[in-house]
């Protein structure tokens, strides 16, 4: 592979990492939510129509124009999102409206989805999938110093006594949990790696590190909330695996996370990482290759 060859992030990356997320669910909910908002806005004009007429003959039409403008904004934001999801094309002014979708529509879509029989987890997974496609389509590449790998503390083995929240390098790298492999990715590509025990710690880490892109691993709830909290900072979310249930000895597919790193990392930094790997491999003696692999207790 050429040094600067980029590995595109597969469109169904999250499907391979967690539960399959359905874009149709997101599209249906965003259309339904925007319709509800537009109806509410229309009612705001209809109800006080008679009262405004008593104040001034033109007052109902001025207020109606304001409501119509709000309806057009909501409709344009939802239409732009649907067009972006289905075609990959961005409508004019849509990027500035994406915040409206992230901040306003997700809570409304969650309520609407619950009313229609969908779980919060299904709605959030769909939102994360769509968010990833939007970030992948809009974000460019960044130097390693501007990318942050933000991990949940539940990736650390629950029986481990090491404290990693403030310094992940306290890990003794026994290989019993994904932290060893994550440190390896951090070292290989020169990307900052941090662990957060909750939303408050995560926000503090983001403020301290000031990244331009976050590659975050977490469950549906934490990823959805993190994407909302950090907007307009782009967050590419990777769902963790939970073979032992929520928040206990969770896992992450490191090869897939590395695909995401190589999608967003600057070509020069990818080339530098591969040169370091080749140099390290050249220093390995034949005896090292023949050495037995140490078993992990």
């Amino acid at each position: 592979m050429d040094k600067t060859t980029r590995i595109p992030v597969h469109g169904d990356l999250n499907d391979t990492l967690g539960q399959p997320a359905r874009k149709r669910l997101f599209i249906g909910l965003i259309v339904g939510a925007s319709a509800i908002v537009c109806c509410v806005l229309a009612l705001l004009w209809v109800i006080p129509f008679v009262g405004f007429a008593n104040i001034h003959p033109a007052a109902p039409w001025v207020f109606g124009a304001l409501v119509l403008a709000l309806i057009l904004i909501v409709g344009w934001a939802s239409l732009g999102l649907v067009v972006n999801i289905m075609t990959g094309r961005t409508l004019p002014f849509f990027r500035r409206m994406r915040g409206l979708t992230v901040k306003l529509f997700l809570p409304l879509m969650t309520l609407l989805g619950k009313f229609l029989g969908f779980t919060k987890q299904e709605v959030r997974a769909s939102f994360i999938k769509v968010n990833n496609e939007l970030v992948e389509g809009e974000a460019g590449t960044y130097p390693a110093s501007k990318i942050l790998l933000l991990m949940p503390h539940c990736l650390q083995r629950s029986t481990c006594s090491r404290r990693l929240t403030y310094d992940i390098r306290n890990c003794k790298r026994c290989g019993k949990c994904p932290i060893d492999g994550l440190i390896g990715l951090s070292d290989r590509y020169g990307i900052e790696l941090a662990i957060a025990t909750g939303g408050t710690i995560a926000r503090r880490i983001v403020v301290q590190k000031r990244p331009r892109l976050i590659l975050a691993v977490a469950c549906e709830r934490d990823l959805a909330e993190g994407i909302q909290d950090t907007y307009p900072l782009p967050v590419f979310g990777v769902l963790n695996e939970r073979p032992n249930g929520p928040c206990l000895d969770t896992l992450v597919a490191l090869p897939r996370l590395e695909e995401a790193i190589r999608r967003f990392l600057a070509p020069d930094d990818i080339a530098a990482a591969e040169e370091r790997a080749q140099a390290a491999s050249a220093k390995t003696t034949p005896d090292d290759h023949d050495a037995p692999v140490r078993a992990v207790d």
Side-chain angles (χ1 to χ4, degrees), residues 38 41 65-79 97:
C38 290
L41 291 174
L66 178 62
V67 172
L68 179 60
L70 291 175
I71 291 176
L72 291 176
I73 290 174
V74 171
W76 192 256
S78 58
L79 176 64
M97 295 183 182

Side-chain angles (χ1 to χ4, degrees), residues 5 19 26 32 37 53 69 75 101 115 131 133 161 173 181 189 192 203 250 263 271 280 288:
T5 298
Q19 295 183 352
F26 185 92
V37 172
T101 305
F115 178 77
N131 170 79
E133 292 190 9
S161 60
R173 307 192 68 173
Y189 293 102
E192 191 79 33
R203 284 188 286 272
T250 60
R263 158 61 184 85
D288 293 332

Side-chain angles (χ1 to χ4, degrees), residues 4 46 90 93 101 139-140 149 167 171 173 176-177 190 214 220 225 272 279 285:
T4 58
V46 172
T90 303
F93 310 112
T101 305
L149 296 176
D167 187 0
C171 176
R173 307 192 68 173
K176 293 181 179 179
C177 70
I214 298 174
E220 289 87 350
E225 292 178 355
T285 63

